[in-house]
Amino acid sequence: MTGHVVSETSGGVLTLTLNRPEKKNALTRAMYQALADGIDAADADPAVRCVLIQAEGDMFTAGNDLGDFAAVNRGDASANQAREGGNPLLNALERAKTPIVAAVNGRAVGVGTTMLLHCDLVYVAEDALLTTPFVNLALVPEAASSMLLPARIGHARAFAMFVLGEAVDARKAVDWGIANAVVPAGELRARARAAAEAVAARAPASVAATKALMRREPEPIKARYQEEGRLFAAQLKSPEAAEAFAAFAEKRPPDFTKTREPA
């Protein structure tokens, strides 16, 4: 597993720790693959009864490494090839059978928030701040979040998060049903670990069956993954995205007034 994702198994719990704090745990393709491999391995290993995802540093994740996005926008062949088949982490989350617990500290940007919709228990530190600024980057939601987030928190709130990039703090995340509890930062890992161990101690077949029963019908989620993926790929290569990435790199507001393509 990549050094930017540390894997450790003990007490029936597989802990996957994002370990790129110097880059705010921005997710590279290799990190997505490492996380996906861990989740898939948990499903294949009867000794693993729960997965715990956490992060080093002061931020859960800054979301996708924008360097990867910019490379796709520029038409880099290797970057385009790497994105074929979709995001491996999202695919693994969609098919996961093992319960997943998340411990979220600091900011959780983009996929750092949408992945939580596929977790079974979510604990947030008092400093947690969830954002899904896809439209700010001229992109669209992913991880079936265009369906799952409005179902969880309502259309108006989800639209404000997606389109206006409005942030959700820890308390609001709990009140809206995205997270289970707010925990002092110094207690976050212990609380999430205790929850993961409690899940692991339950009858595994019963837990797996309960998770399967609670999940939405898989076909609509798969269909939404595909629809989002098609639109995401198109937007990623658009003039709008080029302007958004340039503006981010130059630390200025984007100007989308001249990026509309001819009808």
Side-chain angles (χ1 to χ4, degrees):
M1 216 171 259
T2 173
H4 290 150
V5 176
V6 178
S7 173
E8 179 186 7
T9 302
S10 66
V13 177
L14 169 64
T15 302
L16 301 173
T17 304
L18 305 180
N19 188 36
R20 199 188 180 203
E22 72 282 3
K23 295 293 185 180
K24 304 298 183 183
N25 291 319
L27 296 165
T28 63
R29 186 71 181 184
M31 292 173 71
Y32 282 129
Q33 189 63 60
L35 290 166
D37 290 345
I39 292 168
D40 287 341
D43 283 347
D45 185 352
V48 175
R49 299 182 178 183
C50 192
V51 174
L52 171 60
I53 301 176
Q54 60 186 23
E56 294 287 358
D58 60 3
M59 183 181 292
F60 185 63
T61 175
N64 199 99
D65 189 305
L66 289 186
D68 288 355
F69 280 170
V72 173
N73 184 268
R74 292 193 302 268
D76 184 290
S78 61
N80 277 289
Q81 184 178 16
R83 291 193 64 81
E84 291 179 2
N87 184 319
L89 170 60
L90 303 188
N91 293 335
L93 288 170
E94 184 274 326
R95 61 178 173 258
K97 298 177 182 178
T98 306
I100 301 173
V101 178
V104 180
N105 63 298
R107 294 180 64 88
V109 181
V111 68
T113 291
T114 60
M115 68 182 289
L116 302 180
L117 302 173
H118 297 271
C119 295
D120 301 288
L121 294 171
V122 177
Y123 297 92
V124 291
E126 292 170 329
D127 66 346
L129 200 64
L130 314 184
T131 56
T132 54
F134 297 104
V135 172
N136 290 6
L137 294 173
L139 301 172
V140 300
E142 31 72 299
S145 60
S146 62
M147 177 173 68
L148 297 177
L149 191 60
R152 184 79 65 91
I153 70 173
H155 175 93
R157 290 169 172 169
F159 190 87
M161 288 185 70
F162 286 141
V163 176
L164 300 181
E166 289 189 1
V168 173
D169 63 23
R171 178 52 58 191
K172 195 175 290 184
V174 172
D175 291 344
W176 288 3
I178 300 173
N180 292 83
V182 180
V183 183
E187 301 172 16
L188 177 65
R189 286 197 177 187
R191 178 69 178 276
R193 175 75 192 187
E197 290 179 347
V199 171
R202 265 55 175 186
S206 176
V207 171
T210 298
K211 172 167 176 155
L213 286 167
M214 291 178 66
R215 298 185 71 173
R216 292 173 172 272
E217 291 295 323
E219 289 308 315
I221 291 181
K222 289 181 180 178
R224 187 59 58 96
Y225 264 54
Q226 293 170 355
E227 184 178 3
E228 288 174 345
R230 177 179 60 80
L231 294 170
F232 197 104
Q235 280 299 118
L236 194 54
K237 299 177 182 179
S238 70
E240 288 182 344
E243 166 60 14
F245 301 150
F248 183 87
E250 296 165 12
K251 295 181 171 56
R252 61 173 174 80
D255 179 3
F256 296 120
T257 60
K258 300 178 181 179
T259 58
R260 183 180 296 276
E261 295 178 331

PDB file of all heavy atoms in Angstrom, residues 222-238:
ATOM      1  N   LYS A 222     -25.663   2.540  -8.918  1.00  0.00           N
ATOM      2  CA  LYS A 222     -24.724   2.296 -10.018  1.00  0.00           C
ATOM      3  C   LYS A 222     -25.049   3.184 -11.216  1.00  0.00           C
ATOM      4  O   LYS A 222     -24.152   3.735 -11.857  1.00  0.00           O
ATOM      5  CB  LYS A 222     -24.775   0.826 -10.420  1.00  0.00           C
ATOM      6  CG  LYS A 222     -24.162  -0.122  -9.403  1.00  0.00           C
ATOM      7  CD  LYS A 222     -24.239  -1.559  -9.887  1.00  0.00           C
ATOM      8  CE  LYS A 222     -23.621  -2.511  -8.860  1.00  0.00           C
ATOM      9  NZ  LYS A 222     -23.720  -3.932  -9.279  1.00  0.00           N
ATOM     10  N   ALA A 223     -26.333   3.312 -11.506  1.00  0.00           N
ATOM     11  CA  ALA A 223     -26.734   4.155 -12.638  1.00  0.00           C
ATOM     12  C   ALA A 223     -26.347   5.607 -12.385  1.00  0.00           C
ATOM     13  O   ALA A 223     -25.889   6.309 -13.287  1.00  0.00           O
ATOM     14  CB  ALA A 223     -28.239   4.036 -12.875  1.00  0.00           C
ATOM     15  N   ARG A 224     -26.504   6.074 -11.141  1.00  0.00           N
ATOM     16  CA  ARG A 224     -26.135   7.452 -10.837  1.00  0.00           C
ATOM     17  C   ARG A 224     -24.626   7.635 -10.892  1.00  0.00           C
ATOM     18  O   ARG A 224     -24.139   8.676 -11.354  1.00  0.00           O
ATOM     19  CB  ARG A 224     -26.682   7.854  -9.465  1.00  0.00           C
ATOM     20  CG  ARG A 224     -26.493   9.339  -9.137  1.00  0.00           C
ATOM     21  CD  ARG A 224     -27.165  10.264 -10.168  1.00  0.00           C
ATOM     22  NE  ARG A 224     -28.569  10.029 -10.285  1.00  0.00           N
ATOM     23  CZ  ARG A 224     -29.508  10.723  -9.641  1.00  0.00           C
ATOM     24  NH1 ARG A 224     -29.154  11.711  -8.825  1.00  0.00           N
ATOM     25  NH2 ARG A 224     -30.782  10.460  -9.809  1.00  0.00           N
ATOM     26  N   TYR A 225     -23.872   6.656 -10.438  1.00  0.00           N
ATOM     27  CA  TYR A 225     -22.409   6.689 -10.580  1.00  0.00           C
ATOM     28  C   TYR A 225     -22.039   6.917 -12.040  1.00  0.00           C
ATOM     29  O   TYR A 225     -21.184   7.757 -12.375  1.00  0.00           O
ATOM     30  CB  TYR A 225     -21.813   5.357 -10.135  1.00  0.00           C
ATOM     31  CG  TYR A 225     -21.315   5.279  -8.720  1.00  0.00           C
ATOM     32  CD1 TYR A 225     -22.129   5.605  -7.649  1.00  0.00           C
ATOM     33  CD2 TYR A 225     -20.036   4.840  -8.441  1.00  0.00           C
ATOM     34  CE1 TYR A 225     -21.694   5.506  -6.347  1.00  0.00           C
ATOM     35  CE2 TYR A 225     -19.576   4.729  -7.138  1.00  0.00           C
ATOM     36  CZ  TYR A 225     -20.408   5.064  -6.095  1.00  0.00           C
ATOM     37  OH  TYR A 225     -19.953   4.957  -4.810  1.00  0.00           O
ATOM     38  N   GLN A 226     -22.663   6.150 -12.925  1.00  0.00           N
ATOM     39  CA  GLN A 226     -22.323   6.227 -14.344  1.00  0.00           C
ATOM     40  C   GLN A 226     -22.715   7.569 -14.943  1.00  0.00           C
ATOM     41  O   GLN A 226     -21.954   8.158 -15.716  1.00  0.00           O
ATOM     42  CB  GLN A 226     -23.009   5.078 -15.089  1.00  0.00           C
ATOM     43  CG  GLN A 226     -22.477   3.710 -14.706  1.00  0.00           C
ATOM     44  CD  GLN A 226     -23.309   2.567 -15.262  1.00  0.00           C
ATOM     45  OE1 GLN A 226     -24.359   2.789 -15.878  1.00  0.00           O
ATOM     46  NE2 GLN A 226     -22.862   1.337 -15.042  1.00  0.00           N
ATOM     47  N   GLU A 227     -23.904   8.055 -14.586  1.00  0.00           N
ATOM     48  CA  GLU A 227     -24.349   9.343 -15.120  1.00  0.00           C
ATOM     49  C   GLU A 227     -23.460  10.476 -14.620  1.00  0.00           C
ATOM     50  O   GLU A 227     -23.037  11.346 -15.391  1.00  0.00           O
ATOM     51  CB  GLU A 227     -25.800   9.592 -14.719  1.00  0.00           C
ATOM     52  CG  GLU A 227     -26.377  10.872 -15.306  1.00  0.00           C
ATOM     53  CD  GLU A 227     -27.836  11.068 -14.933  1.00  0.00           C
ATOM     54  OE1 GLU A 227     -28.377  10.238 -14.168  1.00  0.00           O
ATOM     55  OE2 GLU A 227     -28.425  12.059 -15.394  1.00  0.00           O
ATOM     56  N   GLU A 228     -23.163  10.471 -13.324  1.00  0.00           N
ATOM     57  CA  GLU A 228     -22.264  11.485 -12.778  1.00  0.00           C
ATOM     58  C   GLU A 228     -20.892  11.396 -13.424  1.00  0.00           C
ATOM     59  O   GLU A 228     -20.276  12.419 -13.759  1.00  0.00           O
ATOM     60  CB  GLU A 228     -22.115  11.286 -11.266  1.00  0.00           C
ATOM     61  CG  GLU A 228     -23.330  11.652 -10.450  1.00  0.00           C
ATOM     62  CD  GLU A 228     -23.164  11.294  -8.978  1.00  0.00           C
ATOM     63  OE1 GLU A 228     -22.238  10.524  -8.646  1.00  0.00           O
ATOM     64  OE2 GLU A 228     -23.966  11.767  -8.159  1.00  0.00           O
ATOM     65  N   GLY A 229     -20.402  10.168 -13.611  1.00  0.00           N
ATOM     66  CA  GLY A 229     -19.077   9.976 -14.196  1.00  0.00           C
ATOM     67  C   GLY A 229     -18.981  10.535 -15.593  1.00  0.00           C
ATOM     68  O   GLY A 229     -17.966  11.145 -15.970  1.00  0.00           O
ATOM     69  N   ARG A 230     -20.034  10.336 -16.385  1.00  0.00           N
ATOM     70  CA  ARG A 230     -20.040  10.862 -17.755  1.00  0.00           C
ATOM     71  C   ARG A 230     -19.983  12.383 -17.748  1.00  0.00           C
ATOM     72  O   ARG A 230     -19.192  13.002 -18.471  1.00  0.00           O
ATOM     73  CB  ARG A 230     -21.293  10.375 -18.483  1.00  0.00           C
ATOM     74  CG  ARG A 230     -21.450  10.913 -19.900  1.00  0.00           C
ATOM     75  CD  ARG A 230     -22.704  10.373 -20.556  1.00  0.00           C
ATOM     76  NE  ARG A 230     -23.916  10.736 -19.823  1.00  0.00           N
ATOM     77  CZ  ARG A 230     -24.510  11.931 -19.914  1.00  0.00           C
ATOM     78  NH1 ARG A 230     -23.991  12.885 -20.694  1.00  0.00           N
ATOM     79  NH2 ARG A 230     -25.606  12.185 -19.240  1.00  0.00           N
ATOM     80  N   LEU A 231     -20.813  13.005 -16.921  1.00  0.00           N
ATOM     81  CA  LEU A 231     -20.832  14.464 -16.847  1.00  0.00           C
ATOM     82  C   LEU A 231     -19.556  15.015 -16.215  1.00  0.00           C
ATOM     83  O   LEU A 231     -19.048  16.059 -16.630  1.00  0.00           O
ATOM     84  CB  LEU A 231     -22.059  14.924 -16.051  1.00  0.00           C
ATOM     85  CG  LEU A 231     -23.413  14.636 -16.699  1.00  0.00           C
ATOM     86  CD1 LEU A 231     -24.538  14.904 -15.722  1.00  0.00           C
ATOM     87  CD2 LEU A 231     -23.575  15.470 -17.960  1.00  0.00           C
ATOM     88  N   PHE A 232     -19.048  14.310 -15.209  1.00  0.00           N
ATOM     89  CA  PHE A 232     -17.811  14.735 -14.550  1.00  0.00           C
ATOM     90  C   PHE A 232     -16.660  14.741 -15.558  1.00  0.00           C
ATOM     91  O   PHE A 232     -15.869  15.696 -15.616  1.00  0.00           O
ATOM     92  CB  PHE A 232     -17.501  13.775 -13.395  1.00  0.00           C
ATOM     93  CG  PHE A 232     -16.511  14.294 -12.388  1.00  0.00           C
ATOM     94  CD1 PHE A 232     -16.930  14.758 -11.160  1.00  0.00           C
ATOM     95  CD2 PHE A 232     -15.147  14.307 -12.659  1.00  0.00           C
ATOM     96  CE1 PHE A 232     -16.017  15.227 -10.208  1.00  0.00           C
ATOM     97  CE2 PHE A 232     -14.232  14.764 -11.730  1.00  0.00           C
ATOM     98  CZ  PHE A 232     -14.669  15.234 -10.506  1.00  0.00           C
ATOM     99  N   ALA A 233     -16.564  13.670 -16.352  1.00  0.00           N
ATOM    100  CA  ALA A 233     -15.490  13.570 -17.342  1.00  0.00           C
ATOM    101  C   ALA A 233     -15.590  14.689 -18.370  1.00  0.00           C
ATOM    102  O   ALA A 233     -14.574  15.277 -18.780  1.00  0.00           O
ATOM    103  CB  ALA A 233     -15.533  12.207 -18.020  1.00  0.00           C
ATOM    104  N   ALA A 234     -16.811  14.990 -18.798  1.00  0.00           N
ATOM    105  CA  ALA A 234     -16.999  16.056 -19.784  1.00  0.00           C
ATOM    106  C   ALA A 234     -16.612  17.408 -19.200  1.00  0.00           C
ATOM    107  O   ALA A 234     -15.914  18.210 -19.840  1.00  0.00           O
ATOM    108  CB  ALA A 234     -18.448  16.072 -20.260  1.00  0.00           C
ATOM    109  N   GLN A 235     -17.049  17.676 -17.981  1.00  0.00           N
ATOM    110  CA  GLN A 235     -16.716  18.954 -17.348  1.00  0.00           C
ATOM    111  C   GLN A 235     -15.232  19.077 -17.049  1.00  0.00           C
ATOM    112  O   GLN A 235     -14.658  20.153 -17.150  1.00  0.00           O
ATOM    113  CB  GLN A 235     -17.519  19.128 -16.063  1.00  0.00           C
ATOM    114  CG  GLN A 235     -18.942  19.589 -16.277  1.00  0.00           C
ATOM    115  CD  GLN A 235     -19.010  20.938 -16.959  1.00  0.00           C
ATOM    116  OE1 GLN A 235     -19.562  21.053 -18.074  1.00  0.00           O
ATOM    117  NE2 GLN A 235     -18.460  21.963 -16.337  1.00  0.00           N
ATOM    118  N   LEU A 236     -14.601  17.957 -16.724  1.00  0.00           N
ATOM    119  CA  LEU A 236     -13.182  17.974 -16.381  1.00  0.00           C
ATOM    120  C   LEU A 236     -12.328  18.459 -17.555  1.00  0.00           C
ATOM    121  O   LEU A 236     -11.263  19.036 -17.366  1.00  0.00           O
ATOM    122  CB  LEU A 236     -12.754  16.570 -15.945  1.00  0.00           C
ATOM    123  CG  LEU A 236     -11.406  16.423 -15.231  1.00  0.00           C
ATOM    124  CD1 LEU A 236     -11.308  17.343 -14.029  1.00  0.00           C
ATOM    125  CD2 LEU A 236     -11.227  14.970 -14.800  1.00  0.00           C
ATOM    126  N   LYS A 237     -12.818  18.244 -18.776  1.00  0.00           N
ATOM    127  CA  LYS A 237     -12.077  18.648 -19.968  1.00  0.00           C
ATOM    128  C   LYS A 237     -12.592  19.954 -20.575  1.00  0.00           C
ATOM    129  O   LYS A 237     -12.154  20.354 -21.654  1.00  0.00           O
ATOM    130  CB  LYS A 237     -12.160  17.531 -21.014  1.00  0.00           C
ATOM    131  CG  LYS A 237     -11.563  16.216 -20.539  1.00  0.00           C
ATOM    132  CD  LYS A 237     -11.744  15.116 -21.578  1.00  0.00           C
ATOM    133  CE  LYS A 237     -11.183  13.789 -21.068  1.00  0.00           C
ATOM    134  NZ  LYS A 237     -11.374  12.686 -22.043  1.00  0.00           N
ATOM    135  N   SER A 238     -13.495  20.631 -19.868  1.00  0.00           N
ATOM    136  CA  SER A 238     -14.152  21.813 -20.415  1.00  0.00           C
ATOM    137  C   SER A 238     -13.342  23.085 -20.209  1.00  0.00           C
ATOM    138  O   SER A 238     -12.468  23.157 -19.337  1.00  0.00           O
ATOM    139  CB  SER A 238     -15.522  21.988 -19.744  1.00  0.00           C
ATOM    140  OG  SER A 238     -15.345  22.380 -18.383  1.00  0.00           O
TER     141      SER A 238
END
